[in-house]
Amino acid sequence: INAEYMGADLNDPKHKAKAAAPPLAPPSAAASGKGSHTSASSSKSYAPATGSKGTDYSKLQEDPYARDNEAFIQQQLSQQRDLEMQQDQHLGDLSNTVGRLKQTGVEINQELKLQEEILKTMESEMDTLSSKLDHAKKRVEQMLENSKDKGKICIIVALIAALVVIIVLFFFL
């Protein structure tokens, strides 16, 4: 990375002017010692030459800063690929987890539907048993009422029989 730009204030007008200028100065500026990181004794021209596809940057490879920049870019690309691979792995794990949760949700839904049917059947059976129990309770109550009346009748009949026995014994003996 160019040491000239390290720690520079990006809002500084001088920095903006340098950032807007081409990265390499023309040979005349290099000879005068202005605007470039090359020395005045260097006779190499760092101006980009044009090729068949536009700008040819092959001469820039001779610049040590260009090699550092290229290495930095390659390192950043490698880190970005690694990060993307990690993110893909995490997304794959997350996708598997979501799939398992979906399957669990489907199984819970099936179980709830089964339990709902069982509860409906039990409710129907409970209603039937409740009505049968109410009917049996009414019959027991009727039997108790009838047995009370029969008990009274039995007592009356037993007393009449005892009276007849007493009368017969008293008058005939």
Side-chain angles (χ1 to χ4, degrees), residues 136-164:
K137 182 180 172 184
K138 287 179 184 175
R139 287 183 62 196
V140 167
E141 287 174 356
Q142 279 181 337
M143 286 175 46
L144 287 175
E145 284 182 30
N146 290 339
S147 68
K148 287 180 184 178
D149 291 339
K150 287 182 182 178
K152 289 177 185 176
I153 292 173
C154 288
I155 291 175
I156 292 173
V157 170
L159 288 174
I160 292 174
L163 186 62
V164 169

Side-chain angles (χ1 to χ4, degrees), residues 107-118:
E107 290 173 3
I108 288 172
N109 186 35
Q110 290 173 346
E111 184 66 26
L112 286 174
K113 285 181 179 179
L114 178 65
Q115 294 293 328
E116 181 183 22
E117 289 300 318
I118 291 171

Side-chain angles (χ1 to χ4, degrees), residues 27-35 40:
S28 61
S32 67
K34 296 180 183 175

